[in-house]
Amino acid sequence: MTDRTTGPPPVHPAWLPDAAFAPVGSRRVLVAPGPDAGPVGETVVAELRRATAAHGGTLTVVDAAGPRLDDATVRAHDLVLVVAPRAGGPGQRRYPDAHPTAYLVAAATAGRYDGETGGQFAPDMVRRVRVGGTTVVAAGGAVGLLYGLHGVVRLGERAFQADDGDHLERPLTPVRMLDHWDNIDVHPVMGQVERGYAGGSIFYADGRVRDDLSRVADYARLLGSIGVNAVAINNVNVHATEARLLTDGLADVARVADVFRPHGVRTYLSVSFGSPMRLGGLATNDPLDPDVQAWWAATADRVWATIPDFGGFVVKADSEGQPGPFAYGRDHADGANLLARAVAPHGGTVFWRAFVYNHEQDWRDRRTDRARAAYDHFAPLDGRFDDNVVLQVKYGPLDFQVREAVSPVIAAMPRTRVAVELQVTQEYTGHQKHVCYLGPLWSDVLGFPLAEDATRTVADIASGLPGPRTPEGAQLRAGGITAVSNVGDDEFWTGHPLAQANLYAYGRLAWDPSADPVALLDEWLDLTFPGADPRVRETLHAFMDDSWLTYEKYTAPLGVCFMVDPLRGHYGPNVDGYEYSKWGTYHFADRDGIGVDRTVATGTGFTGQYPAPWDAVYEDLATCPDELLLFFHHVPYQHVLKSGTTVIQHIYDTRADAVDVVESWVPRWEALRGLVDDRLHARVAERLAEQVRSATEWRDQVRTYFFRKSGVPDASGRPIY
């Protein structure tokens, strides 16, 4: 990473410290990026050159136009990385128009594979095999070579051990995006990074794009290493200055794109639906108005003329005050297709957010349900969106809660490309002041069998796959996986050093949603703390494996959601903070019970938006999972859960037990003093102290609130105030 020896402390290398490259850099390496390597191929060579220089290995770079190497020379290397769009086995169809570096596949694998046979590899497809003493990575293109290199770095010494078979990989989804909610101008309420908990923006300072983008280059390197291939660089709530990135600021956007490009990352912009009036001086934003259509087409032409590999637009419309097509009597298919047709000639994509609801709700109205809104708006439009529109759907129907049901919209749009939106920044999970490893939450969501009689997962829908993952399988109407970034200009990137694991796990799960989140945590630990004392791994697993569930246990219970403090940006407890507000985020606790009745029979009818069997599962109190009980049902405090305890006693017990767990982390972390970097140790210790304080406040407020509501004492006799 960039070394800053003067001024602020050096930026933490996250999971790419030089030591993590020692197993690769200490060996004899050959790389053949091919004649079309471009800037990504140059990045692969630069990474290998840096690693071998640091760790005593050697590097051979094969020039595709140079003389062929003989087999013995190739096999003399410990690691061979080669761009070869084919890598088939003996007996497969041979293609005479072989790629210039494809011959190296047969040489490196002693004939097990041949770069002139087999099916065509996609550019991001990677085959890794070890034959004899050589580890071979063959990739369909330069970006696949980058992914293959980092796959070897993650394996470390294991990549150079006994032959371990054939590994064929490619990302499940074509777009793996991070949305930055960064503002150029510091917002008076939200600050520079909306829902940002790690300092200011890495892109902007002093009201403009930074002159020095070296920190962005470091970030791009991190993203390329985990397979993230798209970044939207400004807030979805597009304010006046940020809107001008689309016009006056294009040259600066191009500078950012230049920094991302060498790591296989395409640049996107969040744009305002109101841009024709705001930027173009038009009298309307009506999507059916010819002048509006012409303005967007001309704007797209300028964008792609400046940035030929620009990705496209992210749009939040008719949501929380943002302008949209409703103002003109149009629907969201009309609005999205307006932009889609403008960017289509350039191969661009429009990510259109489905986060549309009434944010001026009357709290007295028990029938209006914010959870229903996205389905009600978008399900009737299925099949009307152009093919280069991706509907970006939050994974839950409310707003990134610590526990909520999976959004039924994801299953309701079979003729529409759908991207699942996650939140890496910890808006409702502790503001990156609390240890809360979100990999298990995202794994549960992506693996949830939502559609087609519980046979098709959320990840299948996002990838367009009708069935199990196959590396060569067709990706029918793939959408992607997106998330809100948790990065700022903090020394440790994410404020809390352990929150780096969330960014890492997001990229790896977006690549392979079937990955075990605990195994991904192991990867992150091995890379971030290479060669560390085993006590470091043991301690961090003790903290992090179940930290999401621990956080849930001291905050809002059984899927009821919110209970956060609106005056502190959703940090800390305020059980009734939103109960009488306009935002539609209620728990309806009274003297008799708690929860939101979303059943068809007696409630808002939200359960009816789910496909079978989930509509029946959630409708019936007897089959509704306990962890979502209060999301779907209003129940008495003495309702008995499947665990055998009552709702009220569960609330009492889990909050108290969770604080005991968090308190136990403090001495365990203190015992690692001297075993990890001093600055990192001090930052985590500071955050743990705050987590204990906040968790204690959550425990005491929630337990006391429900005792005062219900009048039911805690059977354990623990203090209630």
Side-chain angles (χ1 to χ4, degrees), residues 553-554 557 637-638 645-659 699-721:
K553 286 175 181 176
Y554 61 77
Y637 293 110
Q638 297 289 12
T645 192
T646 63
V647 166
I648 190 66
Q649 195 58 45
H650 171 88
I651 292 172
Y652 291 151
D653 290 345
T654 49
R655 263 112 280 272
D657 293 345
V659 173
R699 177 196 66 192
D700 292 344
Q701 285 200 29
V702 173
R703 282 166 48 85
T704 298
Y705 177 93
F706 283 105
F707 171 67
R708 293 178 180 180
K709 279 284 185 183
S710 69
V712 179
D714 178 1
S716 74
R718 287 174 289 204
I720 290 182
Y721 301 95

mmCIF file of all heavy atoms in Angstrom, residues 553-554 557 637-638 645-659 699-721:
data_model
loop_
_atom_site.group_PDB
_atom_site.id
_atom_site.type_symbol
_atom_site.label_atom_id
_atom_site.label_comp_id
_atom_site.label_asym_id
_atom_site.label_seq_id
_atom_site.Cartn_x
_atom_site.Cartn_y
_atom_site.Cartn_z
ATOM 1 N N LYS A 553 -28.846 -10.125 19.700
ATOM 2 C CA LYS A 553 -29.387 -10.510 21.004
ATOM 3 C C LYS A 553 -29.470 -9.341 21.980
ATOM 4 O O LYS A 553 -30.258 -9.392 22.926
ATOM 5 C CB LYS A 553 -28.547 -11.641 21.598
ATOM 6 C CG LYS A 553 -28.790 -12.981 20.915
ATOM 7 C CD LYS A 553 -27.866 -14.064 21.440
ATOM 8 C CE LYS A 553 -28.115 -15.386 20.717
ATOM 9 N NZ LYS A 553 -27.152 -16.433 21.148
ATOM 10 N N TYR A 554 -28.651 -8.308 21.794
ATOM 11 C CA TYR A 554 -28.814 -7.180 22.727
ATOM 12 C C TYR A 554 -29.547 -6.007 22.098
ATOM 13 O O TYR A 554 -29.713 -4.967 22.730
ATOM 14 C CB TYR A 554 -27.488 -6.748 23.358
ATOM 15 C CG TYR A 554 -26.361 -6.253 22.483
ATOM 16 C CD1 TYR A 554 -26.372 -4.968 21.950
ATOM 17 C CD2 TYR A 554 -25.233 -7.042 22.251
ATOM 18 C CE1 TYR A 554 -25.308 -4.492 21.192
ATOM 19 C CE2 TYR A 554 -24.166 -6.584 21.498
ATOM 20 C CZ TYR A 554 -24.216 -5.310 20.969
ATOM 21 O OH TYR A 554 -23.157 -4.847 20.222
ATOM 22 N N PRO A 557 -35.502 -7.430 19.248
ATOM 23 C CA PRO A 557 -35.694 -8.877 19.346
ATOM 24 C C PRO A 557 -36.611 -9.467 18.281
ATOM 25 O O PRO A 557 -37.561 -8.827 17.817
ATOM 26 C CB PRO A 557 -36.341 -9.028 20.728
ATOM 27 C CG PRO A 557 -37.129 -7.765 20.909
ATOM 28 C CD PRO A 557 -36.328 -6.686 20.213
ATOM 29 N N TYR A 637 -47.051 -11.308 25.254
ATOM 30 C CA TYR A 637 -45.729 -11.481 25.859
ATOM 31 C C TYR A 637 -45.512 -12.902 26.362
ATOM 32 O O TYR A 637 -44.380 -13.381 26.417
ATOM 33 C CB TYR A 637 -45.545 -10.491 27.016
ATOM 34 C CG TYR A 637 -45.486 -9.061 26.558
ATOM 35 C CD1 TYR A 637 -46.518 -8.164 26.837
ATOM 36 C CD2 TYR A 637 -44.399 -8.590 25.832
ATOM 37 C CE1 TYR A 637 -46.462 -6.846 26.417
ATOM 38 C CE2 TYR A 637 -44.338 -7.270 25.405
ATOM 39 C CZ TYR A 637 -45.385 -6.405 25.697
ATOM 40 O OH TYR A 637 -45.330 -5.101 25.267
ATOM 41 N N GLN A 638 -46.597 -13.583 26.710
ATOM 42 C CA GLN A 638 -46.463 -14.938 27.241
ATOM 43 C C GLN A 638 -46.538 -15.998 26.151
ATOM 44 O O GLN A 638 -46.577 -17.188 26.444
ATOM 45 C CB GLN A 638 -47.557 -15.196 28.292
ATOM 46 C CG GLN A 638 -47.482 -14.297 29.519
ATOM 47 C CD GLN A 638 -46.309 -14.623 30.426
ATOM 48 O OE1 GLN A 638 -45.408 -15.368 30.059
ATOM 49 N NE2 GLN A 638 -46.306 -14.058 31.634
ATOM 50 N N THR A 645 -39.336 -21.133 25.750
ATOM 51 C CA THR A 645 -39.424 -19.957 26.618
ATOM 52 C C THR A 645 -40.463 -18.985 26.067
ATOM 53 O O THR A 645 -40.859 -19.067 24.907
ATOM 54 C CB THR A 645 -38.055 -19.260 26.749
ATOM 55 O OG1 THR A 645 -38.095 -18.305 27.800
ATOM 56 C CG2 THR A 645 -37.665 -18.574 25.447
ATOM 57 N N THR A 646 -40.907 -18.081 26.897
ATOM 58 C CA THR A 646 -41.881 -17.081 26.444
ATOM 59 C C THR A 646 -41.167 -15.931 25.739
ATOM 60 O O THR A 646 -39.956 -15.724 25.912
ATOM 61 C CB THR A 646 -42.679 -16.526 27.625
ATOM 62 O OG1 THR A 646 -41.775 -15.857 28.517
ATOM 63 C CG2 THR A 646 -43.423 -17.636 28.360
ATOM 64 N N VAL A 647 -41.931 -15.166 24.982
ATOM 65 C CA VAL A 647 -41.364 -14.010 24.291
ATOM 66 C C VAL A 647 -40.719 -13.059 25.286
ATOM 67 O O VAL A 647 -39.589 -12.602 25.089
ATOM 68 C CB VAL A 647 -42.453 -13.292 23.467
ATOM 69 C CG1 VAL A 647 -41.968 -11.913 23.016
ATOM 70 C CG2 VAL A 647 -42.857 -14.128 22.262
ATOM 71 N N ILE A 648 -41.412 -12.750 26.374
ATOM 72 C CA ILE A 648 -40.887 -11.770 27.313
ATOM 73 C C ILE A 648 -39.625 -12.277 28.000
ATOM 74 O O ILE A 648 -38.650 -11.532 28.183
ATOM 75 C CB ILE A 648 -41.960 -11.340 28.347
ATOM 76 C CG1 ILE A 648 -41.480 -10.148 29.175
ATOM 77 C CG2 ILE A 648 -42.381 -12.504 29.230
ATOM 78 C CD1 ILE A 648 -41.314 -8.883 28.386
ATOM 79 N N GLN A 649 -39.602 -13.568 28.361
ATOM 80 C CA GLN A 649 -38.402 -14.089 29.014
ATOM 81 C C GLN A 649 -37.238 -14.174 28.030
ATOM 82 O O GLN A 649 -36.080 -13.959 28.401
ATOM 83 C CB GLN A 649 -38.675 -15.457 29.638
ATOM 84 C CG GLN A 649 -37.601 -15.889 30.636
ATOM 85 C CD GLN A 649 -37.433 -14.894 31.794
ATOM 86 O OE1 GLN A 649 -38.422 -14.437 32.370
ATOM 87 N NE2 GLN A 649 -36.194 -14.542 32.120
ATOM 88 N N HIS A 650 -37.552 -14.472 26.773
ATOM 89 C CA HIS A 650 -36.511 -14.453 25.736
ATOM 90 C C HIS A 650 -35.886 -13.060 25.637
ATOM 91 O O HIS A 650 -34.659 -12.922 25.543
ATOM 92 C CB HIS A 650 -37.109 -14.860 24.384
ATOM 93 C CG HIS A 650 -36.182 -14.657 23.225
ATOM 94 N ND1 HIS A 650 -35.277 -15.609 22.815
ATOM 95 C CD2 HIS A 650 -36.004 -13.585 22.381
ATOM 96 C CE1 HIS A 650 -34.591 -15.148 21.779
ATOM 97 N NE2 HIS A 650 -35.015 -13.921 21.497
ATOM 98 N N ILE A 651 -36.718 -12.036 25.653
ATOM 99 C CA ILE A 651 -36.204 -10.662 25.597
ATOM 100 C C ILE A 651 -35.306 -10.390 26.796
ATOM 101 O O ILE A 651 -34.201 -9.840 26.658
ATOM 102 C CB ILE A 651 -37.368 -9.663 25.523
ATOM 103 C CG1 ILE A 651 -38.090 -9.782 24.173
ATOM 104 C CG2 ILE A 651 -36.883 -8.234 25.755
ATOM 105 C CD1 ILE A 651 -39.368 -8.967 24.085
ATOM 106 N N TYR A 652 -35.742 -10.770 27.980
ATOM 107 C CA TYR A 652 -34.940 -10.552 29.178
ATOM 108 C C TYR A 652 -33.610 -11.314 29.117
ATOM 109 O O TYR A 652 -32.541 -10.756 29.380
ATOM 110 C CB TYR A 652 -35.712 -11.004 30.416
ATOM 111 C CG TYR A 652 -36.912 -10.168 30.786
ATOM 112 C CD1 TYR A 652 -38.000 -10.741 31.459
ATOM 113 C CD2 TYR A 652 -36.983 -8.807 30.493
ATOM 114 C CE1 TYR A 652 -39.107 -9.997 31.831
ATOM 115 C CE2 TYR A 652 -38.080 -8.047 30.852
ATOM 116 C CZ TYR A 652 -39.148 -8.647 31.520
ATOM 117 O OH TYR A 652 -40.241 -7.907 31.878
ATOM 118 N N ASP A 653 -33.685 -12.589 28.790
ATOM 119 C CA ASP A 653 -32.498 -13.450 28.872
ATOM 120 C C ASP A 653 -31.452 -13.095 27.823
ATOM 121 O O ASP A 653 -30.255 -13.001 28.130
ATOM 122 C CB ASP A 653 -32.893 -14.915 28.704
ATOM 123 C CG ASP A 653 -33.664 -15.468 29.893
ATOM 124 O OD1 ASP A 653 -33.653 -14.830 30.968
ATOM 125 O OD2 ASP A 653 -34.295 -16.535 29.742
ATOM 126 N N THR A 654 -31.895 -12.946 26.570
ATOM 127 C CA THR A 654 -30.920 -12.748 25.497
ATOM 128 C C THR A 654 -30.160 -11.443 25.659
ATOM 129 O O THR A 654 -28.952 -11.394 25.401
ATOM 130 C CB THR A 654 -31.607 -12.798 24.127
ATOM 131 O OG1 THR A 654 -32.749 -11.943 24.131
ATOM 132 C CG2 THR A 654 -32.042 -14.213 23.781
ATOM 133 N N ARG A 655 -30.827 -10.394 26.091
ATOM 134 C CA ARG A 655 -30.127 -9.135 26.265
ATOM 135 C C ARG A 655 -29.054 -9.240 27.359
ATOM 136 O O ARG A 655 -27.929 -8.762 27.193
ATOM 137 C CB ARG A 655 -31.118 -8.006 26.614
ATOM 138 C CG ARG A 655 -31.516 -7.208 25.375
ATOM 139 C CD ARG A 655 -32.961 -7.395 24.992
ATOM 140 N NE ARG A 655 -33.184 -8.619 24.283
ATOM 141 C CZ ARG A 655 -33.091 -8.780 22.954
ATOM 142 N NH1 ARG A 655 -32.780 -7.772 22.201
ATOM 143 N NH2 ARG A 655 -33.321 -9.950 22.381
ATOM 144 N N ALA A 656 -29.395 -9.863 28.460
ATOM 145 C CA ALA A 656 -28.433 -9.988 29.552
ATOM 146 C C ALA A 656 -27.280 -10.916 29.171
ATOM 147 O O ALA A 656 -26.103 -10.611 29.431
ATOM 148 C CB ALA A 656 -29.139 -10.500 30.803
ATOM 149 N N ASP A 657 -27.606 -12.028 28.540
ATOM 150 C CA ASP A 657 -26.561 -12.982 28.161
ATOM 151 C C ASP A 657 -25.601 -12.372 27.145
ATOM 152 O O ASP A 657 -24.388 -12.617 27.190
ATOM 153 C CB ASP A 657 -27.184 -14.249 27.581
ATOM 154 C CG ASP A 657 -27.969 -15.046 28.620
ATOM 155 O OD1 ASP A 657 -27.807 -14.782 29.825
ATOM 156 O OD2 ASP A 657 -28.758 -15.931 28.207
ATOM 157 N N ALA A 658 -26.135 -11.588 26.195
ATOM 158 C CA ALA A 658 -25.285 -11.019 25.154
ATOM 159 C C ALA A 658 -24.277 -10.036 25.731
ATOM 160 O O ALA A 658 -23.123 -9.986 25.282
ATOM 161 C CB ALA A 658 -26.148 -10.335 24.095
ATOM 162 N N VAL A 659 -24.681 -9.254 26.707
ATOM 163 C CA VAL A 659 -23.734 -8.319 27.317
ATOM 164 C C VAL A 659 -22.624 -9.081 28.028
ATOM 165 O O VAL A 659 -21.445 -8.687 27.976
ATOM 166 C CB VAL A 659 -24.457 -7.360 28.273
ATOM 167 C CG1 VAL A 659 -23.454 -6.498 29.039
ATOM 168 C CG2 VAL A 659 -25.422 -6.465 27.498
ATOM 169 N N ARG A 699 -29.191 -3.321 26.672
ATOM 170 C CA ARG A 699 -29.761 -4.323 27.595
ATOM 171 C C ARG A 699 -30.701 -3.672 28.593
ATOM 172 O O ARG A 699 -31.860 -4.097 28.747
ATOM 173 C CB ARG A 699 -28.620 -5.024 28.348
ATOM 174 C CG ARG A 699 -29.082 -6.033 29.400
ATOM 175 C CD ARG A 699 -27.949 -6.376 30.357
ATOM 176 N NE ARG A 699 -27.547 -5.223 31.170
ATOM 177 C CZ ARG A 699 -26.446 -5.185 31.915
ATOM 178 N NH1 ARG A 699 -25.623 -6.224 31.945
ATOM 179 N NH2 ARG A 699 -26.167 -4.103 32.636
ATOM 180 N N ASP A 700 -30.226 -2.613 29.233
ATOM 181 C CA ASP A 700 -31.002 -2.037 30.323
ATOM 182 C C ASP A 700 -32.247 -1.317 29.813
ATOM 183 O O ASP A 700 -33.322 -1.409 30.427
ATOM 184 C CB ASP A 700 -30.120 -1.096 31.140
ATOM 185 C CG ASP A 700 -29.026 -1.844 31.891
ATOM 186 O OD1 ASP A 700 -29.139 -3.081 32.023
ATOM 187 O OD2 ASP A 700 -28.064 -1.186 32.338
ATOM 188 N N GLN A 701 -32.123 -0.618 28.687
ATOM 189 C CA GLN A 701 -33.297 0.076 28.176
ATOM 190 C C GLN A 701 -34.356 -0.896 27.661
ATOM 191 O O GLN A 701 -35.549 -0.733 27.944
ATOM 192 C CB GLN A 701 -32.902 1.057 27.062
ATOM 193 C CG GLN A 701 -32.226 2.315 27.573
ATOM 194 C CD GLN A 701 -32.290 3.455 26.568
ATOM 195 O OE1 GLN A 701 -33.216 3.528 25.771
ATOM 196 N NE2 GLN A 701 -31.319 4.349 26.622
ATOM 197 N N VAL A 702 -33.942 -1.895 26.905
ATOM 198 C CA VAL A 702 -34.923 -2.821 26.325
ATOM 199 C C VAL A 702 -35.590 -3.654 27.414
ATOM 200 O O VAL A 702 -36.824 -3.823 27.434
ATOM 201 C CB VAL A 702 -34.260 -3.717 25.260
ATOM 202 C CG1 VAL A 702 -35.239 -4.795 24.775
ATOM 203 C CG2 VAL A 702 -33.788 -2.872 24.078
ATOM 204 N N ARG A 703 -34.815 -4.181 28.346
ATOM 205 C CA ARG A 703 -35.393 -4.985 29.417
ATOM 206 C C ARG A 703 -36.352 -4.144 30.266
ATOM 207 O O ARG A 703 -37.465 -4.576 30.593
ATOM 208 C CB ARG A 703 -34.275 -5.578 30.285
ATOM 209 C CG ARG A 703 -33.588 -6.793 29.657
ATOM 210 C CD ARG A 703 -32.271 -7.141 30.360
ATOM 211 N NE ARG A 703 -32.399 -7.179 31.808
ATOM 212 C CZ ARG A 703 -32.809 -8.226 32.518
ATOM 213 N NH1 ARG A 703 -33.160 -9.359 31.887
ATOM 214 N NH2 ARG A 703 -32.865 -8.174 33.831
ATOM 215 N N THR A 704 -35.927 -2.937 30.604
ATOM 216 C CA THR A 704 -36.782 -2.085 31.435
ATOM 217 C C THR A 704 -38.045 -1.672 30.690
ATOM 218 O O THR A 704 -39.145 -1.674 31.262
ATOM 219 C CB THR A 704 -35.987 -0.842 31.879
ATOM 220 O OG1 THR A 704 -34.871 -1.270 32.662
ATOM 221 C CG2 THR A 704 -36.858 0.099 32.698
ATOM 222 N N TYR A 705 -37.904 -1.327 29.420
ATOM 223 C CA TYR A 705 -39.066 -0.915 28.618
ATOM 224 C C TYR A 705 -40.138 -2.012 28.630
ATOM 225 O O TYR A 705 -41.320 -1.727 28.871
ATOM 226 C CB TYR A 705 -38.624 -0.623 27.184
ATOM 227 C CG TYR A 705 -39.753 -0.253 26.252
ATOM 228 C CD1 TYR A 705 -40.094 1.073 26.038
ATOM 229 C CD2 TYR A 705 -40.476 -1.236 25.569
ATOM 230 C CE1 TYR A 705 -41.128 1.419 25.177
ATOM 231 C CE2 TYR A 705 -41.510 -0.903 24.709
ATOM 232 C CZ TYR A 705 -41.833 0.428 24.520
ATOM 233 O OH TYR A 705 -42.869 0.754 23.667
ATOM 234 N N PHE A 706 -39.723 -3.242 28.394
ATOM 235 C CA PHE A 706 -40.730 -4.299 28.274
ATOM 236 C C PHE A 706 -41.262 -4.762 29.628
ATOM 237 O O PHE A 706 -42.393 -5.237 29.718
ATOM 238 C CB PHE A 706 -40.184 -5.463 27.437
ATOM 239 C CG PHE A 706 -40.189 -5.133 25.974
ATOM 240 C CD1 PHE A 706 -39.017 -4.823 25.302
ATOM 241 C CD2 PHE A 706 -41.379 -5.075 25.275
ATOM 242 C CE1 PHE A 706 -39.035 -4.482 23.967
ATOM 243 C CE2 PHE A 706 -41.404 -4.737 23.933
ATOM 244 C CZ PHE A 706 -40.227 -4.435 23.277
ATOM 245 N N PHE A 707 -40.496 -4.569 30.683
ATOM 246 C CA PHE A 707 -41.067 -4.823 32.007
ATOM 247 C C PHE A 707 -42.155 -3.798 32.308
ATOM 248 O O PHE A 707 -43.245 -4.131 32.791
ATOM 249 C CB PHE A 707 -39.982 -4.769 33.079
ATOM 250 C CG PHE A 707 -40.534 -4.813 34.476
ATOM 251 C CD1 PHE A 707 -41.156 -5.957 34.962
ATOM 252 C CD2 PHE A 707 -40.472 -3.697 35.303
ATOM 253 C CE1 PHE A 707 -41.687 -5.996 36.247
ATOM 254 C CE2 PHE A 707 -40.996 -3.724 36.573
ATOM 255 C CZ PHE A 707 -41.606 -4.877 37.053
ATOM 256 N N ARG A 708 -41.865 -2.536 31.980
ATOM 257 C CA ARG A 708 -42.853 -1.492 32.253
ATOM 258 C C ARG A 708 -44.089 -1.637 31.368
ATOM 259 O O ARG A 708 -45.204 -1.300 31.792
ATOM 260 C CB ARG A 708 -42.216 -0.119 32.058
ATOM 261 C CG ARG A 708 -41.140 0.190 33.091
ATOM 262 C CD ARG A 708 -40.494 1.549 32.850
ATOM 263 N NE ARG A 708 -39.460 1.848 33.840
ATOM 264 C CZ ARG A 708 -38.746 2.965 33.867
ATOM 265 N NH1 ARG A 708 -38.955 3.896 32.937
ATOM 266 N NH2 ARG A 708 -37.828 3.162 34.786
ATOM 267 N N LYS A 709 -43.922 -2.133 30.145
ATOM 268 C CA LYS A 709 -45.076 -2.352 29.268
ATOM 269 C C LYS A 709 -45.912 -3.531 29.739
ATOM 270 O O LYS A 709 -47.143 -3.477 29.771
ATOM 271 C CB LYS A 709 -44.605 -2.624 27.827
ATOM 272 C CG LYS A 709 -44.261 -1.394 27.024
ATOM 273 C CD LYS A 709 -45.505 -0.650 26.541
ATOM 274 C CE LYS A 709 -45.120 0.511 25.636
ATOM 275 N NZ LYS A 709 -46.291 1.300 25.215
ATOM 276 N N SER A 710 -45.225 -4.642 30.050
ATOM 277 C CA SER A 710 -45.932 -5.904 30.283
ATOM 278 C C SER A 710 -46.280 -6.142 31.744
ATOM 279 O O SER A 710 -47.247 -6.863 32.047
ATOM 280 C CB SER A 710 -45.065 -7.069 29.793
ATOM 281 O OG SER A 710 -43.915 -7.228 30.628
ATOM 282 N N GLY A 711 -45.474 -5.602 32.651
ATOM 283 C CA GLY A 711 -45.651 -5.915 34.064
ATOM 284 C C GLY A 711 -45.196 -7.306 34.446
ATOM 285 O O GLY A 711 -45.363 -7.722 35.597
ATOM 286 N N VAL A 712 -44.590 -8.025 33.511
ATOM 287 C CA VAL A 712 -44.133 -9.396 33.774
ATOM 288 C C VAL A 712 -42.695 -9.342 34.279
ATOM 289 O O VAL A 712 -41.812 -8.812 33.594
ATOM 290 C CB VAL A 712 -44.206 -10.258 32.502
ATOM 291 C CG1 VAL A 712 -43.698 -11.666 32.785
ATOM 292 C CG2 VAL A 712 -45.622 -10.288 31.954
ATOM 293 N N PRO A 713 -42.412 -9.867 35.460
ATOM 294 C CA PRO A 713 -41.043 -9.801 35.988
ATOM 295 C C PRO A 713 -40.107 -10.776 35.275
ATOM 296 O O PRO A 713 -40.543 -11.751 34.659
ATOM 297 C CB PRO A 713 -41.220 -10.192 37.456
ATOM 298 C CG PRO A 713 -42.446 -11.049 37.467
ATOM 299 C CD PRO A 713 -43.352 -10.508 36.405
ATOM 300 N N ASP A 714 -38.831 -10.483 35.376
ATOM 301 C CA ASP A 714 -37.796 -11.374 34.856
ATOM 302 C C ASP A 714 -37.652 -12.552 35.812
ATOM 303 O O ASP A 714 -37.319 -12.375 36.991
ATOM 304 C CB ASP A 714 -36.484 -10.600 34.737
ATOM 305 C CG ASP A 714 -35.323 -11.454 34.248
ATOM 306 O OD1 ASP A 714 -35.515 -12.657 33.985
ATOM 307 O OD2 ASP A 714 -34.204 -10.905 34.135
ATOM 308 N N ALA A 715 -37.878 -13.758 35.311
ATOM 309 C CA ALA A 715 -37.839 -14.950 36.162
ATOM 310 C C ALA A 715 -36.458 -15.194 36.746
ATOM 311 O O ALA A 715 -36.326 -15.891 37.760
ATOM 312 C CB ALA A 715 -38.298 -16.170 35.356
ATOM 313 N N SER A 716 -35.408 -14.640 36.111
ATOM 314 C CA SER A 716 -34.057 -14.868 36.618
ATOM 315 C C SER A 716 -33.728 -13.962 37.793
ATOM 316 O O SER A 716 -32.726 -14.175 38.475
ATOM 317 C CB SER A 716 -33.033 -14.627 35.503
ATOM 318 O OG SER A 716 -32.906 -13.235 35.257
ATOM 319 N N GLY A 717 -34.522 -12.930 38.007
ATOM 320 C CA GLY A 717 -34.267 -12.010 39.104
ATOM 321 C C GLY A 717 -33.185 -10.990 38.851
ATOM 322 O O GLY A 717 -32.802 -10.257 39.765
ATOM 323 N N ARG A 718 -32.698 -10.899 37.629
ATOM 324 C CA ARG A 718 -31.669 -9.906 37.321
ATOM 325 C C ARG A 718 -32.262 -8.493 37.363
ATOM 326 O O ARG A 718 -33.463 -8.323 37.143
ATOM 327 C CB ARG A 718 -31.046 -10.206 35.957
ATOM 328 C CG ARG A 718 -30.135 -11.439 35.998
ATOM 329 C CD ARG A 718 -29.644 -11.828 34.623
ATOM 330 N NE ARG A 718 -30.717 -12.383 33.799
ATOM 331 C CZ ARG A 718 -30.533 -13.202 32.761
ATOM 332 N NH1 ARG A 718 -29.305 -13.543 32.423
ATOM 333 N NH2 ARG A 718 -31.553 -13.653 32.069
ATOM 334 N N PRO A 719 -31.426 -7.483 37.594
ATOM 335 C CA PRO A 719 -31.965 -6.125 37.819
ATOM 336 C C PRO A 719 -32.715 -5.578 36.613
ATOM 337 O O PRO A 719 -32.301 -5.754 35.467
ATOM 338 C CB PRO A 719 -30.708 -5.288 38.088
ATOM 339 C CG PRO A 719 -29.663 -6.266 38.489
ATOM 340 C CD PRO A 719 -29.963 -7.536 37.772
ATOM 341 N N ILE A 720 -33.817 -4.929 36.898
ATOM 342 C CA ILE A 720 -34.555 -4.136 35.914
ATOM 343 C C ILE A 720 -34.796 -2.778 36.553
ATOM 344 O O ILE A 720 -35.089 -2.689 37.746
ATOM 345 C CB ILE A 720 -35.876 -4.819 35.517
ATOM 346 C CG1 ILE A 720 -35.588 -6.078 34.685
ATOM 347 C CG2 ILE A 720 -36.760 -3.863 34.723
ATOM 348 C CD1 ILE A 720 -36.826 -6.801 34.206
ATOM 349 N N TYR A 721 -34.706 -1.734 35.763
ATOM 350 C CA TYR A 721 -34.710 -0.394 36.338
ATOM 351 C C TYR A 721 -36.051 0.287 36.121
ATOM 352 O O TYR A 721 -36.716 0.072 35.124
ATOM 353 C CB TYR A 721 -33.578 0.430 35.696
ATOM 354 C CG TYR A 721 -32.235 -0.217 35.930
ATOM 355 C CD1 TYR A 721 -31.687 -1.069 34.971
ATOM 356 C CD2 TYR A 721 -31.546 -0.031 37.125
ATOM 357 C CE1 TYR A 721 -30.460 -1.692 35.192
ATOM 358 C CE2 TYR A 721 -30.328 -0.644 37.351
ATOM 359 C CZ TYR A 721 -29.790 -1.486 36.387
ATOM 360 O OH TYR A 721 -28.592 -2.095 36.612
#
